[in-house]
Amino acid sequence: MTNETASLLLYDIPVASRFLLGTARYPSPAILAEAIRAAGAEIVTVSLRREAGASRAGESFWSLIRELGVRVLPNTAGCRTAKEAIATAQMARELFATDWIKLEVIGEEDTLQPDVFGLVDAARALADDGFSVFPYTTEDLVVAERLLDAGCRVLMPWAAPIGSGRGINNLFGLRALRAHFPDVPLIVDAGLGAPSQAAAVMELGFDAALLNTAVSRARDPVEMARAFALAIDAGRAAHVAGLMTPRDMAEPSTPVLGRAFDEGRK
C-alpha cells in the first residue's frame, strides 16, 4: 500500500474506508446493517431529528449503530439558519457523545442548496466551540476559503442537488476545488446516483464520497452498497496510479518500427 492509498486522516483520525454512508430511508434496520457491512463503511451519518429523543425507534437505531462498531457523524439536516444548526449540533454532541458534526444550513428549497453565508457563520461558531466541522457546501472556491478560515479542516462539496442522482454537475468547479486545496480532505456529498459517478469523482482526486439515497432507495440496497464500494476503491486506485491525459489525435498503442511491412516500403 502506498502513502496515497493509506488511511485518510479526518481531524487527525485515520479512516481506512473512503465510503461514508447515510442511514436514512432504508427498507428496514436489518437491511441498513447489511448495507453498512457491504459498503465497508467506518463512518455513518445520522440525523438528530430522526434519531433523537427517547422514542423506542431511536433507541433501537442507536443500539444497532453501536453493535456495528462504526463512527457516527451526526448531521444538522433540515436546518435553515445558522442559529438552528448550531443548536442542533450542540444537542447532537450531547446525544451522540462526539464533537464531529456534518453541518448543513439549507438556503433554497428546490435544490436544497446550502445557504453559504449561514454556513460560514455556523461553522465559525461551532469550530470555536470545539466541534470538528464537516460542512456541506458548494464547489465555490471563495466559500471554501471562508470555511477553512472559520476553522474547518474538511470540506464536503456537492456534486449535484441532494437526492438527484445527477452525478457531477460542475466538473470544472470540482476540478478547481481539488487543485486549489490539494491538502484539504474533500468528501463529495450529495448528487451521486451511480457507482460510475462515484468512481469519476474519486478519479478526480477527491478523498472520499458520501452516499445515501442512491443506496437506500435501490431495489437491492445491500448489493448497491457493495457496487459503490468497489467503484470508490477503483476510482481511488486509478487516481493514485495516474490516469493518461486525453488526446485529440490517435496514437498507435503498438510500435510499428521494424515491422515487415515498414521494411517493404523502402
Side-chain angles (χ1 to χ4, degrees), residues 21 29 34 38 59 72 78 89 91 110 115 151 179 181 184 192 197 220 237 241 244 264:
L21 192 61
E34 284 303 306
E59 292 174 356
V72 170
M91 288 188 285
D110 290 333
D115 171 355
F181 305 105
V184 176
L192 300 180
Q197 297 166 354
D220 186 337
M244 67 172 287

Side-chain angles (χ1 to χ4, degrees), residues 102-127:
K102 177 175 177 277
L103 179 61
E104 295 184 24
V105 181
I106 300 301
E108 207 283 324
E109 293 299 325
D110 290 333
T111 62
L112 298 181
Q113 180 171 339
D115 171 355
V116 295
F117 305 101
L119 183 69
V120 171
D121 288 344
R124 181 176 293 107
L126 291 171

Side-chain angles (χ1 to χ4, degrees), residues 46-48 51-52 61-62 72 74 91-98:
V46 297
S47 169
L48 177 70
E51 314 302 347
F61 173 83
W62 188 223
V72 170
M91 288 188 285
R93 176 160 64 182
E94 183 174 342
L95 180 65
F96 296 109
T98 177

